[in-house]
Amino acid sequence: MSRILVINPNSNETVTEGLRQALAVFARPGSPEIFCETLAEGPFGIETQEHVEAVAMPLRRRIEAAEADAFVIACYSDPGLHVCREGTAKPVFGIAECGVLTALARGDRFGVIAIKSRSIPRHIRYLRQMGLMERLAGERALEMSVAESASGEGTLARMIEKGRELRDLDGAGVVVMGCAGMARHRAPLERALGVPVIDPTQAAVAMALGTVLVGA
Amino acid sequence: MSRILVINPNSNETVTEGLRQALAVFARPGSPEIFCETLAEGPFGIETQEHVEAVAMPLRRRIEAAEADAFVIACYSDPGLHVCREGTAKPVFGIAECGVLTALARGDRFGVIAIKSRSIPRHIRYLRQMGLMERLAGERALEMSVAESASGEGTLARMIEKGRELRDLDGAGVVVMGCAGMARHRAPLERALGVPVIDPTQAAVAMALGTVLVGA
Amino acid sequence: MSRILVINPNSNETVTEGLRQALAVFARPGSPEIFCETLAEGPFGIETQEHVEAVAMPLRRRIEAAEADAFVIACYSDPGLHVCREGTAKPVFGIAECGVLTALARGDRFGVIAIKSRSIPRHIRYLRQMGLMERLAGERALEMSVAESASGEGTLARMIEKGRELRDLDGAGVVVMGCAGMARHRAPLERALGVPVIDPTQAAVAMALGTVLVGA
Amino acid sequence: MSRILVINPNSNETVTEGLRQALAVFARPGSPEIFCETLAEGPFGIETQEHVEAVAMPLRRRIEAAEADAFVIACYSDPGLHVCREGTAKPVFGIAECGVLTALARGDRFGVIAIKSRSIPRHIRYLRQMGLMERLAGERALEMSVAESASGEGTLARMIEKGRELRDLDGAGVVVMGCAGMARHRAPLERALGVPVIDPTQAAVAMALGTVLVGA
Amino acid sequence: MSRILVINPNSNETVTEGLRQALAVFARPGSPEIFCETLAEGPFGIETQEHVEAVAMPLRRRIEAAEADAFVIACYSDPGLHVCREGTAKPVFGIAECGVLTALARGDRFGVIAIKSRSIPRHIRYLRQMGLMERLAGERALEMSVAESASGEGTLARMIEKGRELRDLDGAGVVVMGCAGMARHRAPLERALGVPVIDPTQAAVAMALGTVLVGA
Amino acid sequence: MSRILVINPNSNETVTEGLRQALAVFARPGSPEIFCETLAEGPFGIETQEHVEAVAMPLRRRIEAAEADAFVIACYSDPGLHVCREGTAKPVFGIAECGVLTALARGDRFGVIAIKSRSIPRHIRYLRQMGLMERLAGERALEMSVAESASGEGTLARMIEKGRELRDLDGAGVVVMGCAGMARHRAPLERALGVPVIDPTQAAVAMALGTVLVGA
């Protein structure tokens, strides 16, 4: 039985549990097992470049030690993505990369909803590294903490507000939720905006599933 | 039961049968059904811009009439992709677009194996439209007819030769097979090259599956 | 006597008559004849991707059958441009392409006045295909129907308003009128804005004339 | 009677006479007069950046003093183009700019035939300034002096050789002759290559004619 | 004793004196001498393309005649940069180029404070020529004359206002002062904005010093 | 007395000693002290992504603990650059970034001499992140180990060979030595090639010196 390991690089088990729920839609008899785990060494949330760097080598070691046919790093900063790829012959997917690539198959220009505006320069640097800036419509921030955005009452309303700005002011034809912990807002946000909304973890797992099923 | 309709826009039923075999890996109990059909109005092969344009509106009409949760247009020219998207609220995937986007999650720069060199300017124009030229390592042609490439003895050997040139001379870290009818060569080509090889139809169906399972 | 065939791909004969008036400035004894005709199969206006695709093959057939030294497709979506080029050894010009290219010889960054904002994503996708996005200052829509924009009282005033926004807010040094039916507003708009204003049909016919006179 | 002034910025009257012959195709009764003149202050040939800069202000002064409805600077380095534009409300065209823009309406990627390879970095810097590098297939040099290329026996043969390399090795679908003095080779080169060949001075004059006729 | 010649291309000796003060920080025993001089032929200020072109050849002649190990052209339009480089084997630096390149080592996207908005299209054309547009956050103008900006009371306050807009609205992580005469505002502006502020003349001299010390 | 700390992230003290010698040219009475040290936790050479990641946090901690006015990370992979910048208000320079930026002030397109070809995809990814690909002429590898390249007899000859290919085949007008340990080859390589050659550590220290002297 093949298996996809989804690693939450922060140590917040609630986020990992949220991933499990968001990914339950992929469970099928005979399908690769999707296993979500928490990186023990991770910080409680990944909010700074220090957090990003601090989990890179722990992720590498986890991936080298784990038994799986494909790996998904479930944090929108794609920490350690390239060093993990160097450490295994198995495919490794980052959710930011997969979220954006999947968005490009759903609309011409994409918008990103970030949690905080201080992440935006980092995201833009990464989009430039990926060579995908020509398709970026804009990125707008909720200006909430990760904790607030995951649990708060007003999160969906704020996401709809930012999504509308991305759609109407920036020209986004598809919206990427720029965080691993927003999956349950995907469907209502999509209904409210009338354009596709991409949960990046689901996008990455779909790519991982496809890769494993094809036999790569 | 949800359902993904894969349309072969040429009228060559052998190609459609090849798609069925290539996509059998995705069949699972409870998974969306993947249904492959031949576009009756299509030419025997899609080799010119005229062929591309001639199937655009028939594809649109077929998609408007069909019952499915997602559509895949299974020709590496992505004929009619935007007009089909305009005609349905359901997601429509083109295999060239999905093949390249999936490649971008597996390597830094991608190479493309084309059937004939006369398609390369059209492909480059399309890559520029998608804003993805910064990641292109190169494209090289087998210089075979579609028929030869699908059935011939020497096809795999020629693909390995072109794949090595893409890898060693052009710097490709991942290779996309630029045709709907090459799926059975994917695994041996990947073994020979030592870099990921993407079958674009499988890539598109994986994206379609993910989208349908997520509930978009 | 050489001859340039300008085809209005919509079936609105009033638009074709407007083209004749806009192109009368090019008539000279001994100059190539400029002949404007209406595509019988065309829709009344070209406002959707479906309209664009629906006229591609009829345009190809018309161009294959016609006697002319060069062709101009007179719709700002450049429908069927590449398939028409494939079908003839004679030069074929699209007015959107020629309008923008001509603008690039008159100012550093160009703005586009669209009829409706829903066309803007299609135009941007096309500019990206042409590799010309680096010079785009912005595109702004009149939000009028083609009919209104062609005939209405307030059209010029609205064009001046949008042109000023392109010039002052977006930094456009030249403005392209993004429609085949606006030629009579070119001169007053240019006077009001103080920057060059390009009528795309006139721009395309000038390029066609040059090509025919040179003997290509 | 309107009038277009074509200025040869080098002081080689033979080149100016060649321009007159190349532009005779545009003469028509009632058409704007095309008047070619030699810049007295120009060097005998424009081969260095010093030559380019040295003619900028003389061109500006000539254009400020001249009576004309449009100006064409007939040197493939477009010397003084922006300073001339600043000095007059009349349109000023550079032949390199117009040659490349016209090529973009005739093929997807363009190649350039330069006289000497030492000009190529300057041309590439200029193409980057124009934001048109995405469409460049390649540039190859004859490695002849301007004098040789203008008069020599073997020039056409060498242009065909370089044109074939641009077409077959670099993927050019259209070729620009990167010099003001090659017009008489345009037609035979086009016949030999089977792809459009653009003489930049003719391209610029066609754009100037269009602009003047339209009334800008 | 090696020597760096900094040339103020305008004839305003007050500006040259300001350069001397701004560059005094680089003086050290045994360090290359930094010598500032005024270009006698220069206009009082460089505000138009005509001014830019008019000083190109005088700068070339001055550089060819001068004894120095490196040259700095101290005007934010980098007049004559390429023609000067052609005329000497010694390194020649332009302050706009060096200011922007140095900014790229201090922040991800840079903003520019211009004196007047009419310079912005020229600056953008130059950034495109340098291939650096991908890192531009924005450019905003003080709308002051060079004289006002150099001497006026309110200059710093206005620079802080524009710098905040670049930082907060445009996303600039570093700011370049787009003029040779603003050096004394660098430190207070940097303190007010909390992001690095680059004086382009100081940046160019630092690069020149490094080059001379290394022995190039 | 101000001070610049240059950190060699590998633990090879011979490399650090080489840096000291290469940077001795910057020593002047009253100039900021340039202090070179070895990162104790570093691997013996930085040849893989794992090596790059492994030193990121140690570099951050060292920089947070050190007393200095500016920092230079002396490895051509710029390990930990962004996380170090996050950890201090002092400027932090990476030698790859500064080497390339300095090259852009010396020639139009730059070439890079790498030690091994397997680093090239990583370098290209980084150049894309920096938004500088438009200026890259090419990168070519010596195919030597870091040890060989630092000490071997034939290193200079091999660098000249690769430098000539970059200059003549790829069109490089300036060459960057893509390693921290090649400084002593800079001058002879520059003499052999006749185009500027940049040692990236010297380039970074020059930028750091400029920044410290200016008072940032």
Side-chain angles (χ1 to χ4, degrees), chain A residues 111-152:
Chain A
V112 179
I113 298 177
I115 305 292
K116 288 195 172 284
S117 56
R118 75 173 168 210
S119 312
I120 294 179
R122 198 167 67 217
H123 292 171
I124 284 181
R125 193 172 68 213
Y126 188 42
L127 285 170
R128 213 166 46 226
Q129 180 187 295
M130 293 191 285
L132 302 178
M133 281 297 289
E134 277 203 89
R135 301 282 290 275
L136 177 68
E139 176 157 354
R140 289 174 182 265
L142 301 176
E143 304 298 5
M144 294 170 136
S145 71
V146 173
E148 276 178 305
S149 74
S151 63

Short mmCIF file of all heavy atoms in Angstrom, two decimals, chain A residues 111-152:
data_model
loop_
_atom_site.label_atom_id
_atom_site.label_comp_id
_atom_site.label_asym_id
_atom_site.label_seq_id
_atom_site.Cartn_x
_atom_site.Cartn_y
_atom_site.Cartn_z
N GLY A 111 -4.70 35.77 -7.21
CA GLY A 111 -4.47 36.58 -6.02
C GLY A 111 -4.16 35.68 -4.85
O GLY A 111 -4.52 34.50 -4.85
N VAL A 112 -3.48 36.22 -3.86
CA VAL A 112 -3.13 35.45 -2.67
C VAL A 112 -3.66 36.18 -1.44
O VAL A 112 -3.51 37.40 -1.33
CB VAL A 112 -1.60 35.27 -2.55
CG1 VAL A 112 -1.23 34.49 -1.29
CG2 VAL A 112 -1.04 34.58 -3.79
N ILE A 113 -4.29 35.43 -0.56
CA ILE A 113 -4.69 35.98 0.73
C ILE A 113 -3.65 35.56 1.76
O ILE A 113 -3.50 34.37 2.04
CB ILE A 113 -6.09 35.48 1.16
CG1 ILE A 113 -7.15 35.95 0.15
CG2 ILE A 113 -6.42 35.97 2.57
CD1 ILE A 113 -8.55 35.44 0.45
N ALA A 114 -2.89 36.52 2.27
CA ALA A 114 -1.89 36.23 3.29
C ALA A 114 -2.48 36.46 4.67
O ALA A 114 -3.50 37.15 4.82
CB ALA A 114 -0.67 37.13 3.09
N ILE A 115 -1.84 35.89 5.68
CA ILE A 115 -2.28 36.15 7.04
C ILE A 115 -1.83 37.55 7.46
O ILE A 115 -2.61 38.35 7.94
CB ILE A 115 -1.68 35.10 8.02
CG1 ILE A 115 -2.03 33.68 7.56
CG2 ILE A 115 -2.14 35.36 9.44
CD1 ILE A 115 -3.46 33.32 7.68
N LYS A 116 -0.55 37.82 7.24
CA LYS A 116 0.00 39.11 7.67
C LYS A 116 0.79 39.74 6.54
O LYS A 116 1.44 39.04 5.76
CB LYS A 116 0.94 38.91 8.86
CG LYS A 116 0.24 38.57 10.16
CD LYS A 116 1.19 38.77 11.33
CE LYS A 116 0.46 38.62 12.65
NZ LYS A 116 -0.36 39.79 13.01
N SER A 117 0.77 41.05 6.48
CA SER A 117 1.44 41.73 5.37
C SER A 117 2.95 41.57 5.45
O SER A 117 3.62 41.68 4.43
CB SER A 117 1.05 43.21 5.35
OG SER A 117 1.34 43.81 6.57
N ARG A 118 3.50 41.30 6.61
CA ARG A 118 4.96 41.17 6.66
C ARG A 118 5.45 39.93 5.91
O ARG A 118 6.64 39.81 5.63
CB ARG A 118 5.44 41.16 8.12
CG ARG A 118 5.19 39.89 8.83
CD ARG A 118 5.82 39.82 10.21
NE ARG A 118 5.27 38.67 10.89
CZ ARG A 118 5.12 38.57 12.20
NH1 ARG A 118 5.48 39.56 12.97
NH2 ARG A 118 4.61 37.48 12.73
N SER A 119 4.55 38.98 5.62
CA SER A 119 4.96 37.81 4.82
C SER A 119 5.01 38.12 3.33
O SER A 119 5.59 37.36 2.55
CB SER A 119 3.97 36.65 5.00
OG SER A 119 3.69 36.42 6.35
N ILE A 120 4.39 39.21 2.90
CA ILE A 120 4.23 39.44 1.47
C ILE A 120 5.57 39.59 0.74
O ILE A 120 5.78 38.97 -0.31
CB ILE A 120 3.26 40.62 1.22
CG1 ILE A 120 1.85 40.21 1.71
CG2 ILE A 120 3.23 41.01 -0.25
CD1 ILE A 120 0.78 41.29 1.55
N PRO A 121 6.52 40.37 1.28
CA PRO A 121 7.82 40.43 0.57
C PRO A 121 8.46 39.05 0.41
O PRO A 121 9.04 38.75 -0.63
CB PRO A 121 8.67 41.33 1.47
CG PRO A 121 7.70 42.17 2.23
CD PRO A 121 6.49 41.29 2.43
N ARG A 122 8.35 38.23 1.43
CA ARG A 122 8.91 36.86 1.34
C ARG A 122 8.20 36.06 0.25
O ARG A 122 8.83 35.35 -0.52
CB ARG A 122 8.76 36.17 2.70
CG ARG A 122 9.64 34.96 2.87
CD ARG A 122 9.67 34.51 4.33
NE ARG A 122 8.39 34.00 4.76
CZ ARG A 122 7.86 34.19 5.97
NH1 ARG A 122 8.49 34.90 6.87
NH2 ARG A 122 6.69 33.67 6.28
N HIS A 123 6.87 36.18 0.21
CA HIS A 123 6.10 35.47 -0.83
C HIS A 123 6.48 35.96 -2.22
O HIS A 123 6.60 35.18 -3.16
CB HIS A 123 4.60 35.66 -0.60
CG HIS A 123 4.09 34.98 0.63
ND1 HIS A 123 2.83 35.17 1.11
CD2 HIS A 123 4.68 34.11 1.50
CE1 HIS A 123 2.65 34.45 2.21
NE2 HIS A 123 3.76 33.81 2.46
N ILE A 124 6.63 37.27 -2.36
CA ILE A 124 6.96 37.82 -3.69
C ILE A 124 8.35 37.36 -4.12
O ILE A 124 8.57 37.00 -5.27
CB ILE A 124 6.82 39.36 -3.66
CG1 ILE A 124 5.32 39.69 -3.69
CG2 ILE A 124 7.55 39.99 -4.85
CD1 ILE A 124 5.00 41.16 -3.69
N ARG A 125 9.28 37.35 -3.19
CA ARG A 125 10.62 36.85 -3.51
C ARG A 125 10.54 35.40 -3.99
O ARG A 125 11.23 35.00 -4.92
CB ARG A 125 11.50 36.95 -2.25
CG ARG A 125 12.97 36.76 -2.50
CD ARG A 125 13.76 37.07 -1.24
NE ARG A 125 13.51 36.08 -0.20
CZ ARG A 125 13.50 36.34 1.11
NH1 ARG A 125 13.70 37.56 1.56
NH2 ARG A 125 13.27 35.37 1.98
N TYR A 126 9.67 34.63 -3.36
CA TYR A 126 9.52 33.23 -3.73
C TYR A 126 8.83 33.07 -5.08
O TYR A 126 9.22 32.24 -5.91
CB TYR A 126 8.74 32.51 -2.63
CG TYR A 126 8.66 31.01 -2.78
CD1 TYR A 126 9.76 30.26 -3.18
CD2 TYR A 126 7.47 30.33 -2.51
CE1 TYR A 126 9.68 28.87 -3.30
CE2 TYR A 126 7.38 28.95 -2.63
CZ TYR A 126 8.49 28.23 -3.03
OH TYR A 126 8.40 26.87 -3.16
N LEU A 127 7.81 33.88 -5.33
CA LEU A 127 7.16 33.84 -6.65
C LEU A 127 8.15 34.20 -7.75
O LEU A 127 8.13 33.63 -8.84
CB LEU A 127 5.97 34.80 -6.69
CG LEU A 127 4.72 34.32 -5.94
CD1 LEU A 127 3.72 35.45 -5.84
CD2 LEU A 127 4.10 33.12 -6.65
N ARG A 128 9.02 35.16 -7.45
CA ARG A 128 10.04 35.53 -8.44
C ARG A 128 11.00 34.36 -8.66
O ARG A 128 11.38 34.07 -9.78
CB ARG A 128 10.79 36.77 -7.97
CG ARG A 128 11.21 37.66 -9.11
CD ARG A 128 11.65 39.02 -8.64
NE ARG A 128 12.53 38.91 -7.53
CZ ARG A 128 12.46 39.62 -6.41
NH1 ARG A 128 11.56 40.56 -6.27
NH2 ARG A 128 13.30 39.44 -5.44
N GLN A 129 11.37 33.70 -7.57
CA GLN A 129 12.23 32.51 -7.71
C GLN A 129 11.56 31.46 -8.60
O GLN A 129 12.22 30.79 -9.39
CB GLN A 129 12.52 31.93 -6.32
CG GLN A 129 13.41 30.70 -6.37
CD GLN A 129 13.54 30.05 -5.02
OE1 GLN A 129 14.08 30.60 -4.08
NE2 GLN A 129 13.03 28.82 -4.91
N MET A 130 10.25 31.31 -8.45
CA MET A 130 9.53 30.33 -9.26
C MET A 130 9.27 30.83 -10.68
O MET A 130 8.78 30.08 -11.51
CB MET A 130 8.21 29.96 -8.58
CG MET A 130 8.39 29.20 -7.27
SD MET A 130 6.84 28.48 -6.63
CE MET A 130 6.01 29.95 -5.99
N GLY A 131 9.57 32.08 -10.94
CA GLY A 131 9.35 32.61 -12.29
C GLY A 131 7.88 32.81 -12.62
O GLY A 131 7.49 32.74 -13.77
N LEU A 132 7.05 33.07 -11.61
CA LEU A 132 5.60 33.12 -11.82
C LEU A 132 4.99 34.50 -11.59
O LEU A 132 3.77 34.64 -11.55
CB LEU A 132 4.91 32.09 -10.92
CG LEU A 132 5.35 30.64 -11.11
CD1 LEU A 132 4.65 29.72 -10.12
CD2 LEU A 132 5.10 30.16 -12.54
N MET A 133 5.82 35.52 -11.48
CA MET A 133 5.30 36.85 -11.18
C MET A 133 4.38 37.41 -12.27
O MET A 133 3.51 38.24 -11.99
CB MET A 133 6.46 37.83 -10.98
CG MET A 133 7.13 37.74 -9.64
SD MET A 133 6.05 38.17 -8.27
CE MET A 133 5.90 39.96 -8.53
N GLU A 134 4.59 36.99 -13.51
CA GLU A 134 3.77 37.54 -14.60
C GLU A 134 2.29 37.23 -14.43
O GLU A 134 1.45 37.87 -15.04
CB GLU A 134 4.23 36.95 -15.94
CG GLU A 134 5.42 37.65 -16.54
CD GLU A 134 5.48 37.43 -18.04
OE1 GLU A 134 4.88 38.22 -18.78
OE2 GLU A 134 6.12 36.44 -18.48
N ARG A 135 1.98 36.23 -13.62
CA ARG A 135 0.58 35.85 -13.44
C ARG A 135 -0.01 36.36 -12.12
O ARG A 135 -1.18 36.12 -11.84
CB ARG A 135 0.44 34.31 -13.52
CG ARG A 135 0.92 33.68 -14.82
CD ARG A 135 -0.06 33.84 -15.96
NE ARG A 135 -1.25 33.06 -15.80
CZ ARG A 135 -1.39 31.78 -16.16
NH1 ARG A 135 -0.39 31.14 -16.72
NH2 ARG A 135 -2.53 31.14 -15.98
N LEU A 136 0.81 36.99 -11.30
CA LEU A 136 0.31 37.48 -10.01
C LEU A 136 -0.56 38.72 -10.22
O LEU A 136 -0.12 39.72 -10.78
CB LEU A 136 1.48 37.84 -9.09
CG LEU A 136 1.07 38.43 -7.72
CD1 LEU A 136 0.37 37.40 -6.85
CD2 LEU A 136 2.28 39.01 -6.99
N ALA A 137 -1.81 38.66 -9.72
CA ALA A 137 -2.66 39.86 -9.74
C ALA A 137 -2.36 40.71 -8.52
O ALA A 137 -2.27 41.93 -8.62
CB ALA A 137 -4.13 39.45 -9.77
N GLY A 138 -2.21 40.08 -7.36
CA GLY A 138 -1.93 40.83 -6.14
C GLY A 138 -1.96 39.91 -4.94
O GLY A 138 -2.38 38.75 -5.03
N GLU A 139 -1.45 40.43 -3.84
CA GLU A 139 -1.54 39.69 -2.58
C GLU A 139 -2.02 40.68 -1.52
O GLU A 139 -1.58 41.82 -1.47
CB GLU A 139 -0.15 39.12 -2.21
CG GLU A 139 -0.15 38.42 -0.86
CD GLU A 139 0.96 37.39 -0.68
OE1 GLU A 139 1.71 37.11 -1.65
OE2 GLU A 139 1.07 36.87 0.44
N ARG A 140 -2.95 40.23 -0.71
CA ARG A 140 -3.51 41.10 0.33
C ARG A 140 -3.58 40.32 1.64
O ARG A 140 -3.80 39.11 1.65
CB ARG A 140 -4.90 41.59 -0.07
CG ARG A 140 -4.84 42.61 -1.22
CD ARG A 140 -6.20 43.00 -1.73
NE ARG A 140 -6.08 43.93 -2.84
CZ ARG A 140 -6.13 45.27 -2.71
NH1 ARG A 140 -6.33 45.82 -1.52
NH2 ARG A 140 -5.99 46.04 -3.78
N ALA A 141 -3.38 41.03 2.73
CA ALA A 141 -3.24 40.37 4.02
C ALA A 141 -4.46 40.58 4.90
O ALA A 141 -5.07 41.66 4.92
CB ALA A 141 -2.00 40.90 4.74
N LEU A 142 -4.81 39.52 5.64
CA LEU A 142 -5.89 39.61 6.63
C LEU A 142 -5.45 40.44 7.83
O LEU A 142 -6.29 40.99 8.54
CB LEU A 142 -6.26 38.20 7.12
CG LEU A 142 -6.73 37.21 6.06
CD1 LEU A 142 -6.96 35.84 6.71
CD2 LEU A 142 -8.03 37.71 5.43
N GLU A 143 -4.16 40.49 8.06
CA GLU A 143 -3.61 41.13 9.27
C GLU A 143 -4.19 40.50 10.54
O GLU A 143 -4.62 41.17 11.46
CB GLU A 143 -3.84 42.65 9.27
CG GLU A 143 -3.32 43.40 8.06
CD GLU A 143 -1.82 43.32 7.85
OE1 GLU A 143 -1.12 42.59 8.60
OE2 GLU A 143 -1.33 43.95 6.90
N MET A 144 -4.18 39.19 10.53
CA MET A 144 -4.57 38.44 11.73
C MET A 144 -3.38 37.57 12.11
O MET A 144 -2.50 37.28 11.29
CB MET A 144 -5.74 37.50 11.41
CG MET A 144 -7.03 38.23 11.06
SD MET A 144 -8.25 37.04 10.43
CE MET A 144 -9.72 37.60 11.29
N SER A 145 -3.35 37.10 13.35
CA SER A 145 -2.36 36.09 13.72
C SER A 145 -2.81 34.76 13.13
O SER A 145 -3.99 34.57 12.78
CB SER A 145 -2.26 35.98 15.24
OG SER A 145 -3.43 35.36 15.73
N VAL A 146 -1.88 33.81 13.01
CA VAL A 146 -2.25 32.49 12.52
C VAL A 146 -3.35 31.91 13.40
O VAL A 146 -4.33 31.32 12.91
CB VAL A 146 -1.02 31.55 12.48
CG1 VAL A 146 -1.44 30.13 12.14
CG2 VAL A 146 0.00 32.05 11.46
N ALA A 147 -3.20 32.10 14.70
CA ALA A 147 -4.19 31.56 15.64
C ALA A 147 -5.58 32.14 15.35
O ALA A 147 -6.55 31.41 15.16
CB ALA A 147 -3.75 31.86 17.06
N GLU A 148 -5.65 33.46 15.27
CA GLU A 148 -6.93 34.11 14.96
C GLU A 148 -7.53 33.58 13.67
O GLU A 148 -8.72 33.25 13.60
CB GLU A 148 -6.72 35.61 14.76
CG GLU A 148 -6.72 36.47 16.00
CD GLU A 148 -6.47 37.92 15.61
OE1 GLU A 148 -5.45 38.20 14.93
OE2 GLU A 148 -7.29 38.77 15.99
N SER A 149 -6.69 33.53 12.63
CA SER A 149 -7.22 33.15 11.32
C SER A 149 -7.74 31.72 11.34
O SER A 149 -8.69 31.38 10.66
CB SER A 149 -6.15 33.31 10.24
OG SER A 149 -5.20 32.28 10.34
N ALA A 150 -7.10 30.87 12.14
CA ALA A 150 -7.51 29.47 12.18
C ALA A 150 -8.83 29.30 12.93
O ALA A 150 -9.67 28.50 12.56
CB ALA A 150 -6.42 28.62 12.84
N SER A 151 -9.01 30.09 13.97
CA SER A 151 -10.15 29.80 14.84
C SER A 151 -11.22 30.89 14.84
O SER A 151 -12.37 30.61 15.13
CB SER A 151 -9.64 29.63 16.27
OG SER A 151 -9.09 30.87 16.67
N GLY A 152 -10.83 32.10 14.54
CA GLY A 152 -11.69 33.23 14.84
C GLY A 152 -13.00 33.24 14.09
O GLY A 152 -13.11 32.71 12.98
#
